[in-house]
Structures are given as C-alpha cells and as structure tokens.
Amino acid sequence: MVSNIMSTVFQTRSPWMAFLLVINLILCLYPILGALFWFFGALSYMTFRHDEELAPTDNQLTTEPLVTIMIPAHNEEVVIQGTLEYLLNELTYHNYEILVMDDGSTDATPQIIHELQEKYPRLRTIRIEENQGKAHAFNIGIFFAKGDYILSNDADTIPERDALTKYMRYFTSPEGINYAAITANMDVYNRSTLWGKPQTVEFSSIVGIIKRSQTALNNTMYAYSGANTMYRRDFLINVGGFRQDRATEDISIAWDHTFMNVTPKFAPDIVFHMNVPESFADLYKQRKRWAQGGTEVWLTNFTKVLRHPWRYRFIIPMLTDTTLSIIWSFFFWITSIIFVLLMIHFAVVGNYERIWHGIVMSMIFVTFQLVAGLFQVLAALLLDFNGAKLRYLMFSPIYLLFTWIVNPLTIVTTFLRAVKAVAGYGNGKWVSTERKAGSND
C-alpha cells in the first residue's frame, strides 16, 4: 500500500492531490513513527541524561523547607483514611503539613477527616460546600498553604517514605533554581485485575518513555501527573494558578509553565503507588477526561504559537505532536468506518477477492504497528524499575489495542466539549468513580 501511494504521488500532476496523498501516508504511518520516536527518545535519554535518574547525591539537606501536601477530595470515604494515616505516620521527612480540600463531599469523607484532625495536629482541612472541581480546590488551597512547596497528592495515592526528601534534594540543588514542578513516577497498586495489569504496562510506557523523551529532546513536558507533582508555590501563583474551566488541571498547568519558560523535571526515582480504574466503564470515563484536557490545551495554545512561532519555537514539537494525534484520531475512525462499509459492499456484490485483499493489507499495517509498539513498551519496561515489570509484557497487546482504538475515540467524542470549554462554557467539576480497596500481586 505504501509503495502504491508513493507511486501515485510521483505520477500525479496535481500538487494538491500529491499533498493530500503525502498527508494520507503520514497519517497511515503516524502510530508506527510515533512509537519508534518515543523508543529512540528513550535511547537518547539513556545515552545522554541517564545520570539524572537519581536525586542529586551530593545535595544532602541541611534544613527541611516546609512542604504542604495538598489533597483535593470529593467523596473519598473508601480510601481517604488509609492515605492520610500513611502520610501522617510513615514519611521520613519531618517539616510538612497536610491540607485536605474537601470539595463538596456528600459521603463520610468530612467525618473521617474531622476524627483524624483530633489526633494529628499537622492535618488541616478546608470545606468547600459545593463541588467546584479539583482545580478550584487547588486554587483556594494555594492561599491557605503554609509551605513554599506544594505536593499534589490524590486521595488514593501514596508516596514512598523518602519521597519528600528526594523532591527537596532536586529543588535545592543548583539546577533546581528554575524548576517550576517536579513530577514523579507512578506504580500501579491494584494490578491484580485484568484491567490493572495492562495499565501497569501503560504507565511505565507513558511515564517511562514519553516523559524521558521529552526531557531528553526538548526539556519540556506535555503533562504533569496530578497525583504526584510537587510545585514551587511562587511559580503556581505567577502563572495564575490552575485553570478552573479545564477538564485536566495537570495538563493545562504544564503547558502554562512551558510558556513561562521555566523548567519541569521528571524524577523517576520518586515513586508513588496509585489505584487505577478496575472496570472498562471507569477507565473509558477517565480517558475521555484526559482526551478533552489535551484537546483544550491544543485549542488554547495553537494560535498563540502560530502568531509568534520564533518566540515559542521550543513549544512547536509539543504542538506538532498534539496536532498530529488529534488529526490522526479523526482520520483513524473516518477511514475505519469507510473500510467497514466497503467490506460490507464487497460482500453484498460478491467481490470476495477485494475483501481478502483489504483484510491482508490491514493485517500488514497492524503487524507493523504492533512491532513498533512492542519496541516502545519493551524499552519502557526495561527502563522503569530496572526491568522489574517485564513479566507484564504479555499484557501489552491489550494496552496497545486500547490505545489505538479507544484513545482516538475519546478524542473524537470529546472534541466539541473541548471547544465549548475553551469558548468559556466549561467547568472542572468531578464525578466520583467507584472506589475499591486496591490489592497488589
């Protein structure tokens, strides 16, 4: 198919037709080229910046700056007590407070927090009567936080015991003076389920490959992790806080910081353990929110970069990749629908040779995509946790199929909602997912 397209390109006399055919070829190859790009980006990181995998060992903390661990919470009665008791009792860092932003919880979350406050004086809470969303809760909490550094910690996420010490070793190092935010590595806690295991592969792939590649190639980051990012409080205030009308505050703040020309940092040696959605419905709902958030930042910043391409030249790679991802999502589903309709038409008219030809060509492309994707996933699993997760490689086809089929669908189905949000009709309210106690195998 590729050779046929190239032959047609060189034979056509219409420059517009040649242009469209080239675009078609790029979109056909985009998943393959994208996976290989992240694979070679990881190799670049291993070659040139592998020494940044660990917190600076020559920077021993003489003092402990005050850190505020901020937990926005909405109906988290199943997990909030365990998370708070861990944070209050198990961390090796000493100078910190915990600020829970109770965002209109209607379950037992307020009572649980109140009971723990009577026992732990470093635990504070602010009650927001009506659910206004995570970004709104954060923005209020910024002005009540006592620490110069604010750790975003989800209610179902726990860090390793020495996490705060490692964060501060990064921030107080000579290179850390321009760090706006440091985002840590995620490890899936409830990976005993069918959906948990492929997400273990996915988070290694996203965090282990993409963030390393972004750091190695352009020293930027498309998105922070809302569950484990520590911010320098001054940089949060300087950028105007979190955008409250966006679906994903962690994606939008990462782009806003990039436009400020401050530096994000990925710290793979700081590990957080998280719960992930355990049903397809919850997983799909989560990915729709992520897709909408990504489209929102693209719509918000696209014209800004086009108006001043030289000033924002360091953002062009981010913008290009996001643009291709959105266009490819529409391309994938439109061409998939056309393909299915053609196969039905050929079946009706009895042209079984064309059906066989279509299936064979599709399988060739799927095979190339699968091989490229496996290269990406294999590199990710080798890099992340020194290969400890290689046993989950067998679940990577589930992840790859989910990425190629469902993720484009979420972008297409949330595109109009993202347009409305950017036009001023969005809100960041969250709807609670069903919480279950996580289990690790």
Side-chain angles (χ1 to χ4, degrees):
M1 179 179 286
V2 174
S3 61
N4 291 338
I5 294 175
M6 293 304 297
S7 176
T8 306
V9 168
F10 289 118
Q11 291 176 11
T12 183
R13 296 181 179 180
S14 170
W16 286 108
M17 182 60 69
F19 174 76
L20 290 175
L21 289 171
V22 170
I23 294 298
N24 181 74
L25 176 63
I26 292 173
L27 291 174
C28 286
L29 296 177
Y30 172 73
I32 301 172
L33 297 177
L36 293 176
F37 177 82
W38 298 125
F39 171 72
F40 286 109
L43 293 182
S44 299
Y45 182 91
M46 292 173 60
T47 303
F48 300 110
R49 307 187 73 159
H50 188 67
D51 57 338
E52 299 179 13
E53 284 277 287
L54 302 175
T57 55
D58 57 346
N59 182 31
Q60 300 300 322
L61 293 178
T62 56
T63 60
E64 292 185 342
L66 178 60
V67 173
T68 296
I69 301 176
M70 194 180 299
I71 305 177
H74 176 68
N75 292 348
E76 304 285 1
E77 63 180 4
V78 174
V79 295
I80 190 70
Q81 181 167 350
T83 299
L84 288 176
E85 288 183 340
Y86 176 91
L87 293 173
L88 289 161
N89 294 308
E90 300 296 332
L91 301 184
T92 59
Y93 200 84
H94 302 94
N95 192 21
Y96 68 95
E97 64 167 354
I98 298 177
L99 179 61
V100 180
M101 306 301 299
D102 177 16
D103 191 24
S105 295
T106 56
D107 62 358
T109 298
Q111 291 84 353
I112 293 172
I113 297 172
H114 178 72
E115 292 172 2
L116 290 174
Q117 276 187 290
E118 295 180 348
K119 183 178 179 182
Y120 300 101
R122 72 169 73 198
L123 173 62
R124 298 193 294 139
T125 185
I126 297 174
R127 168 73 177 177
I128 302 172
E129 291 300 326
E130 182 181 353
N131 170 19
Q132 295 293 323
K134 188 175 181 179
H136 176 265
F138 258 122
N139 286 339
I140 292 177
I142 288 172
F143 295 98
F144 285 90
K146 298 178 181 179
D148 292 327
Y149 301 89
I150 297 176
L151 173 63
S152 168
N153 197 108
D154 281 357
D156 61 348
T157 304
I158 58 174
E160 291 192 332
R161 290 175 173 80
D162 60 348
L164 296 188
T165 302
K166 289 180 179 178
Y167 275 121
M168 297 316 304
R169 285 167 62 187
Y170 280 112
F171 271 118
T172 59
S173 68
E175 298 81 9
I177 191 171
N178 199 42
Y179 288 162
I182 297 173
T183 193
N185 207 348
M186 297 302 300
D187 185 27
V188 174
Y189 183 74
N190 54 332
R191 55 177 181 260
S192 60
T193 64
L194 177 62
W195 287 108
K197 293 181 188 297
Q199 286 181 84
T200 300
V201 177
E202 180 186 20
F203 276 98
S204 292
S205 180
I206 290 176
V207 176
I209 289 287
I210 296 180
K211 282 184 167 55
R212 282 181 173 92
S213 300
Q214 293 164 0
T215 302
L217 299 177
N218 204 30
N219 207 25
T220 57
M221 199 173 294
Y222 291 27
Y224 300 145
S225 172
N228 67 8
T229 297
M230 184 178 286
Y231 300 91
R232 198 185 296 270
R233 185 169 178 265
D234 289 345
F235 282 144
L236 278 180
I237 295 174
N238 291 344
V239 82
F242 295 91
R243 294 178 183 258
Q244 297 179 185
D245 57 349
R246 296 295 187 259
T248 50
E249 84 294 335
D250 45 2
I251 298 177
S252 61
I253 192 70
W255 282 67
D256 290 342
H257 273 160
T258 302
F259 276 96
M260 284 181 62
N261 202 25
V262 293
T263 305
K265 174 67 180 175
F266 172 55
D269 63 320
I270 305 177
V271 180
F272 277 63
H273 304 280
M274 66 180 298
N275 281 302
V276 294
E278 295 184 297
S279 69
F280 179 82
D282 286 340
L283 184 59
Y284 182 68
K285 185 185 302 182
Q286 179 194 66
R287 300 314 158 91
K288 284 182 66 177
R289 185 174 64 84
W290 290 3
Q292 181 180 337
T295 303
E296 286 171 356
V297 297
W298 178 74
L299 291 168
T300 301
N301 298 302
F302 188 81
T303 55
K304 185 188 300 186
V305 176
L306 287 184
R307 286 197 302 266
H308 304 285
W310 179 250
R311 181 191 305 175
Y312 300 125
R313 59 193 179 277
F314 49 89
I315 300 178
I316 290 177
M318 293 172 57
L319 194 70
T320 301
D321 180 64
T322 306
T323 302
L324 286 173
S325 178
I326 293 172
I327 294 175
W328 179 79
S329 297
F330 283 91
F331 172 83
F332 172 80
W333 278 104
I334 291 172
T335 54
S336 295
I337 293 172
I338 293 173
F339 176 80
V340 171
L341 293 176
L342 283 174
M343 293 300 103
I344 294 173
H345 168 73
F346 292 141
V348 171
V349 301
N351 193 344
Y352 301 113
E353 182 181 353
R354 293 297 300 271
I355 295 176
W356 173 251
H357 177 76
I359 293 175
V360 169
M361 295 306 299
S362 299
M363 290 301 101
I364 291 174
F365 266 90
V366 169
T367 301
F368 274 107
Q369 290 182 8
L370 182 62
V371 171
L374 286 174
F375 270 108
Q376 176 187 351
V377 172
L378 181 61
L381 294 176
L382 287 172
L383 273 174
D384 222 27
F385 302 103
N386 297 316
K389 295 182 181 179
L390 274 173
R391 57 190 170 134
Y392 295 105
L393 182 63
M394 61 181 294
F395 296 97
S396 59
I398 301 176
Y399 155 66
L400 295 171
L401 287 173
F402 184 88
T403 300
W404 293 333
I405 296 176
V406 177
N407 284 3
L409 180 62
T410 60
I411 291 176
V412 171
T413 55
T414 61
F415 188 83
L416 289 180
R417 193 181 304 171
V419 172
K420 289 178 62 177
V422 174
Y425 298 97
N427 69 78
K429 290 186 179 181
W430 48 8
V431 179
S432 298
T433 57
E434 184 181 354
R435 296 291 193 187
K436 297 179 182 178
S439 61
N440 197 337
D441 64 348

